[in-house]
Amino acid sequence: MSLAQEKNADTLKLLVAETRRRLGEISLGGGKKRLEKLAQQGKWSARERVKALLDPGSPSLEIGAFAADGMYEEHGGAPAAGVVVVMGRIHRRLCIVVANDPTVKAGAWFPMTGKKNLRAQEIAMENKVPILYLVDSAGVYLPMQDEIFPDKEHFGRIFRNNAVMSSMGIPQLAAVMGSCVAGGAYLPIMSDEAIIVEGTGSIFLAGSYLVKAAIGEDIDNETLGGADSHTSISGVADYKAKNDEEALKIMRSLVDKQGERAKAGFDRADAIEPAFPAEELYKRMPVDAKPYAMRQLLECLVDADSTLEYKADYGKTLITTYARIDGWAVGIVANERQVVKNAKGEMQIGGVIYSESADKAARFIANCNQKKIPLVFVQDVTGFMVGSRAEHGGIIKDGAKLVNAVANSVVPKFTVIVGHSFGAGNYAMCGKAYDPRLIIAWPTAKLAVMGGEQAAKVLVQIEKARAGVTTPEAEQELLDRIKERYNTQMSPYYAASRLWVDAIVDPVDTRTWLSMGIEAANQAPIERPYNPGVLQT
């Protein structure tokens, strides 16, 4: 290892360590004091509940851990948006688990809580995997009710999805382990089966105080909507548990007895370790945005000797290759970040999508759809080529072909953002708007409409005219201020807090995310043929 590689590896490891440090803080939810208070009530924390539900020692993926990070600070913050979402195995079956965190505003729903719950349901629906709710929530966070209650992608969409998933035959189970009030009371009851914990679980449309105020009835919460009432009188709940532990045992038992379902039939061979260990990524992925060989990253991610590159000598700023990841057959579309020569011997800039690159990738995506091969997009893209030569050569037309192919693809898509994710390149390389089953980012990722330097220079011209900036010193101060704000917004943490990506991951964990993602996708048979619609040739 050269000195430069060693320095790069150390810097990237520090970035990974910072991610872990932040995750450690988030895992405390509302803080140690609230966790201690929860334990005194005889209740487990959200993460303890999830851990007890999943198979011991099996790998799991936490979705949206950074959701709401740095948001709602004026309301005291909402770590992980007050809800823990994990994909993991229960009796070897992949499931999505959604657990309210009662240490964060009593599990109340912020706007990002709703968005995160909808993302969990979206993953369950796309992959047709069971979804399990561990309910302990005070309902909508009232100071922000106008941002969570009435719109299409707000709180009510959760219950609409409950109904739709039921019609799709996707198993839904709920364990009421704390409060379950108002509109939120419908979630467990719209699930297939519901468990309620004695003493701590309660379900009602209105609590005792509101009942007293509304109709004058004097009643306590336990009698109104506790475990005994709902298992022996109303029949709202199906099983009664004496504590959290028993509730989770019942839930595991219910999952254990579910039957096998039809598979999509994606090909999987025996897994082979990559040609180079994943730790090599630390020195191969530059932290300073300098050019590098994308194929050297792929060597650390795919099974050894499994690649077969499609049109290797054409459209060189995009790599299109068949490969295997943990045994799963995949088609990979990846940005090449080196300066390369095209088929005519002309120099092309890495990280930029040219006409021939877009055309090649669109055809490759069609081939993968024809052969039922999942797609993996590895993003480090600064956008499409600009200028008169590119425009006259039809870059918009060829770019549209690629976007069309990505949008209409019926095989599952997965996206890994390792570096830049700028402009229309984000779209063409299957950004969030193009329905990747999972989208993850490395700590080196940057997401924006364009680079910070370029954007700041454009914005400063607008601000100069508006603010009447006249001196070079004032212009530089304005430029620095805009650049700082823009760079903050390019951060992977900014993206993860808004769920533009599902997670920020250690590069060495990338194979696990992709393998489990494809395993989940294999639970959902493809139901329609690939049809790209109208294309200009």
Side-chain angles (χ1 to χ4, degrees):
M1 186 188 300
S2 69
L3 184 61
Q5 288 177 319
E6 188 175 338
K7 183 178 179 181
N8 189 89
D10 289 342
T11 304
L12 185 44
K13 287 176 183 177
L14 286 173
L15 292 177
V16 170
E18 172 64 10
T19 301
R20 289 190 184 130
R21 183 192 66 78
R22 292 190 182 207
L23 286 172
E25 291 181 354
I26 288 169
S27 69
L28 295 175
K32 292 182 179 179
K33 288 185 178 179
R34 287 180 180 158
L35 287 169
E36 290 169 0
K37 184 177 179 181
L38 200 68
Q40 290 168 4
Q41 296 170 353
K43 296 165 69 174
W44 290 352
S45 72
R47 292 177 187 278
E48 286 172 332
R49 289 167 174 170
V50 173
K51 184 179 179 181
L53 187 58
L54 299 179
D55 291 345
S58 66
S60 61
L61 310 176
E62 183 170 354
I63 311 294
F66 285 102
D69 183 50
M71 302 170 68
Y72 313 132
E73 296 306 308
E74 68 275 24
H75 298 277
V83 62
V84 178
V85 175
V86 173
M87 179 191 290
R89 291 185 175 86
I90 300 172
H91 288 291
R92 301 176 304 282
R93 291 172 172 81
L94 274 181
C95 299
I96 299 293
V97 181
V98 180
N100 299 117
D101 187 346
T103 69
V104 179
K105 292 289 191 292
W109 288 55
F110 287 79
M112 284 304 302
T113 316
K115 187 172 183 178
K116 186 170 174 179
N117 274 267
L118 289 171
R119 176 59 178 148
Q121 291 183 322
E122 180 182 44
I123 293 171
M125 286 190 283
E126 286 180 333
N127 299 293
K128 291 184 170 58
V129 297
I131 183 166
L132 285 58
Y133 307 99
L134 308 183
V135 185
D136 194 342
S137 171
V140 167
Y141 182 60
L142 291 178
M144 301 186 75
Q145 64 84 27
D146 61 320
E147 297 181 47
I148 182 61
F149 170 65
D151 209 347
K152 181 178 179 179
E153 301 298 332
H154 283 178
F155 194 61
R157 189 76 172 181
I158 305 294
F159 316 128
R160 176 265 184 193
N161 286 350
N162 287 145
V164 169
M165 280 191 283
S166 183
S167 73
M168 294 171 67
I170 297 171
Q172 300 177 83
L173 304 174
V176 179
M177 312 177 85
S179 297
C180 182
V181 300
Y186 287 104
L187 186 147
I189 312 313
M190 293 188 75
S191 299
D192 303 330
E193 295 177 273
I195 306 157
I196 187 168
V197 179
E198 288 183 274
T200 57
S202 57
I203 309 170
F204 34 66
L205 295 180
S208 56
Y209 291 120
L210 186 54
V211 167
K212 176 72 172 177
I215 64 173
E217 182 181 4
D218 197 358
I219 189 171
D220 64 89
N221 281 338
E222 186 64 25
T223 305
L224 179 66
D228 287 335
S229 296
H230 282 312
T231 55
S232 63
I233 300 175
S234 72
V236 163
D238 305 299
Y239 307 92
K240 181 169 65 175
K242 61 178 179 288
N243 53 33
D244 284 6
E245 182 178 11
E246 186 177 35
L248 297 172
K249 283 182 178 179
I250 293 171
M251 185 170 274
R252 281 183 57 84
S253 181
L254 290 171
V255 173
D256 181 45
K257 294 166 181 63
Q258 293 177 8
E260 283 292 324
R261 294 176 174 268
K263 299 287 194 291
F266 303 129
D267 186 70
R268 191 178 198 184
D270 292 337
I272 299 173
E273 288 298 311
F276 295 89
E279 287 74 17
E280 281 280 310
L281 292 167
Y282 293 137
K283 65 181 182 183
R284 296 188 177 195
M285 180 62 208
V287 295
D288 53 10
K290 288 182 179 177
Y292 63 94
M294 174 60 76
R295 288 175 183 82
Q296 290 187 2
L297 297 190
L298 298 181
E299 287 175 338
C300 304
L301 297 174
V302 306
D303 295 13
D305 299 321
S306 69
T307 57
L308 177 61
E309 193 164 341
Y310 175 78
K311 291 186 183 291
D313 297 321
Y314 182 74
K316 289 186 175 182
T317 64
L318 275 179
I319 296 168
T320 50
T321 184
Y322 300 106
R324 290 189 184 274
I325 293 177
D326 198 30
W328 292 105
V330 296
I332 297 174
V333 182
N335 302 108
E336 177 58 279
R337 286 289 293 163
Q338 296 188 98
V339 176
V340 298
K341 290 183 179 180
N342 64 15
K344 299 176 183 177
E346 301 166 330
M347 302 303 292
Q348 294 185 316
I349 305 166
V352 177
I353 302 175
Y354 289 78
S355 282
E356 59 267 33
S357 305
D359 186 68
K360 175 177 80 168
R363 178 65 180 268
F364 179 72
I365 289 167
N367 283 338
C368 288
N369 276 270
Q370 180 87 338
K371 300 174 186 177
K372 207 158 69 171
I373 300 174
L375 286 159
V376 175
F377 294 83
V378 185
Q379 284 196 18
D380 194 346
V381 58
T382 52
F384 285 88
M385 190 58 189
V386 297
S388 61
R389 185 174 179 181
E391 297 292 0
H392 297 167
I395 186 65
I396 295 176
K397 178 179 65 178
D398 293 318
K401 285 183 197 174
L402 177 53
V403 170
N404 192 308
V406 173
N408 285 302
S409 180
V410 295
V411 295
K413 299 166 289 192
F414 301 87
T415 302
V416 184
I417 304 174
V418 303
H420 300 89
S421 181
F422 289 171
N426 170 281
Y427 304 157
M429 292 294 293
C430 197
K432 179 71 172 179
Y434 290 79
D435 301 318
R437 297 291 177 94
L438 291 173
I439 178 169
I440 59 175
W442 290 0
T444 46
K446 295 179 180 180
L447 291 81
V449 73
M450 65 177 72
E453 187 74 34
Q454 301 95 306
K457 287 179 179 178
V458 172
L459 290 169
V460 81
Q461 297 306 315
I462 299 170
E463 290 293 328
K464 273 174 62 178
R466 183 180 300 160
V469 175
T470 55
T471 67
E473 292 78 14
E475 182 176 339
Q476 185 61 48
E477 189 275 333
L478 181 60
L479 179 65
D480 292 342
R481 181 156 37 89
I482 292 172
K483 193 189 303 182
E484 181 181 2
R485 184 178 75 237
Y486 201 87
N487 286 338
T488 298
Q489 294 174 352
M490 287 197 300
S491 161
Y493 297 103
Y494 192 90
S497 71
R498 288 151 181 82
L499 286 178
W500 301 344
V501 297
D502 291 316
I504 302 172
V505 306
D506 184 338
V508 303
D509 294 330
T510 304
R511 266 173 66 92
T512 299
W513 275 82
L514 293 174
S515 178
M516 287 187 68
I518 298 170
E519 182 183 348
N522 198 39
Q523 312 302 306
I526 296 171
E527 297 174 347
R528 62 184 177 87
Y530 173 67
N531 179 4
V534 177
L535 292 173
Q536 287 192 12
T537 59

